[in-house]
Amino acid sequence: MSARLSVVIPAHDEAAVIDRVLVALCASPRRDEFEIVVAANGCTDDTVARARSYAGVVVVETPRASKIAALQAGDDAASVFPRVYLDADVKIDPDTLIALADALEAPGVEVASPRLHVDTSAASWLVRQHYRIWELSDYRRRGHIGSGVYAMTRDGRDRFGDWPDVIADDRFVQQLFAPGERATLAGHTFTVRSAADMRAHLRRSVRIARGNRELPDRVQHEDAERPTAGSRGGLARRVAARPRLWVPFAVYCVSWTLPNVLARRDIARARTSTWNRDDTSRVMA
């Protein structure tokens, strides 16, 4: 059986977690439907050796520690569409990837993602309060593309050439497509671990906020902009009716506002972008 979809996995020093995703894919009864490409970038651990130990997995290397460089190298090596771009630390069932391919067969749908589940079981109290409110936000309630997994059709991928030098690759992709061209699979999920503590959460949030602000204006769709006053007001009204959420909401206001303020400051000072990866979430479950 020929592969039905390509799975591109950018990986920078992911030896702690790369086995989880590769074992799941390679042990699947539908293994023949996956073309798997691991794009190792700037690795200093044994990520490459681990990936190469799996039969049939294509491994490409680039010396620069850059997710964008890895995405490009993975694209250059992959040969099948639709194409799934999968972060190495994500926990996902292979059947969910097949469901993405099914979703992209619908007329007009060019990009798709499963529903995101954030695992806060190992997180501090403050981080858990942040996500209690985040789950109620308009951004969360209407679904979104990315945050670890997204898939594109060939026509969708043709909307841009080489990967641009951005931090927020998932948001860049989302904003290339109108809402009617996107699909979020309500019946399928993937899991990412939250940061373990608020310090790590804020570092990661600053990187995300900065990445969103640095996206080119030409790919900004109205519904993908930062939260408006109306959406923030809607969240506040939902929380106001539930007194037990008032303290978590106060935490959320700080943990949302502070990273955005710091991101604006960094951009104004023209500070060099850094990845600021959160290693507190990179543990095998």
Side-chain angles (χ1 to χ4, degrees):
M1 180 184 295
S2 60
R4 185 181 174 193
L5 68 158
S6 285
V7 182
V8 173
I9 306 172
H12 169 66
D13 287 349
E14 299 287 9
V17 294
I18 192 73
D19 287 313
R20 180 175 58 200
V21 65
L22 291 180
V23 165
L25 289 174
C26 292
S28 169
R30 307 182 72 170
R31 168 66 182 90
D32 290 344
E33 298 182 51
F34 300 111
E35 177 189 55
I36 305 171
V37 179
V38 173
N41 60 105
C43 290
T44 59
D45 63 4
D46 62 345
T47 296
V48 171
R50 287 176 178 271
R52 284 182 172 154
S53 71
Y54 292 88
V57 173
V58 176
V59 180
V60 294
E61 296 183 73
T62 178
R64 185 161 64 100
S66 162
K67 185 179 181 182
I68 291 301
L71 289 170
Q72 188 62 53
D75 258 346
D76 292 342
S79 61
V80 181
F81 281 96
R83 191 157 296 166
V84 178
Y85 302 90
L86 175 64
D87 286 358
D89 61 327
V90 161
K91 186 177 181 180
I92 192 168
D93 189 295
D95 287 344
T96 297
L97 301 180
I98 298 294
L100 288 176
D102 292 340
L104 291 174
E105 292 180 354
V109 177
E110 304 292 353
V111 64
S113 181
R115 181 169 172 80
L116 167 64
H117 167 68
V118 179
D119 178 4
T120 60
S121 60
S124 69
W125 181 86
L126 287 172
V127 173
R128 293 199 304 274
Q129 304 321 299
H130 169 91
Y131 281 106
R132 288 180 70 185
I133 303 303
W134 178 80
E135 284 285 352
L136 302 175
S137 67
D138 286 346
Y139 174 75
R140 174 63 168 163
R141 286 155 64 97
R142 69 171 177 253
H144 64 281
I145 297 297
S147 299
V149 185
Y150 52 88
M152 283 187 282
T153 64
R154 182 185 297 274
D155 287 344
R157 180 60 184 85
D158 284 345
R159 295 211 177 168
F160 63 101
D162 290 347
W163 284 90
D165 189 13
V166 298
I167 297 173
D169 62 286
D170 52 353
R171 185 62 69 89
F172 167 79
V173 167
Q174 174 174 306
Q175 294 179 10
L176 291 172
F177 302 94
E181 297 175 310
R182 309 174 198 155
T184 301
L185 310 186
H188 295 272
T189 63
F190 68 100
T191 299
V192 298
R193 280 182 175 265
S194 71
D197 54 54
M198 185 53 73
R199 181 186 296 272
H201 173 83
L202 291 175
R203 284 200 303 267
R204 183 164 69 179
S205 296
V206 170
R207 187 251 303 168
I208 292 170
R210 178 167 181 168
N212 291 342
R213 290 179 177 278
E214 289 181 338
L215 289 175
D217 290 339
R218 63 182 176 79
V219 299
Q220 300 281 355
H221 278 293
E222 290 181 2
D223 73 312
E225 293 285 350
R226 298 172 205 83
T228 62
S231 66
R232 290 195 298 269
L235 177 60
R237 286 190 293 273
R238 286 190 288 274
V239 170
R242 303 164 67 177
R244 62 189 176 85
L245 293 179
W246 291 355
V247 171
F249 184 65
V251 173
Y252 179 83
C253 288
V254 174
S255 59
W256 184 89
T257 302
L258 182 58
N260 281 276
V261 170
L262 294 176
R264 286 196 298 268
R265 182 202 63 184
D266 287 351
I267 291 172
R269 295 179 179 179
R271 288 187 174 177
T272 302
S273 298
T274 57
W275 184 241
N276 289 334
R277 187 176 77 168
D278 170 36
D279 288 323
T280 69
S281 63
R282 278 171 163 75
V283 293
M284 287 288 284

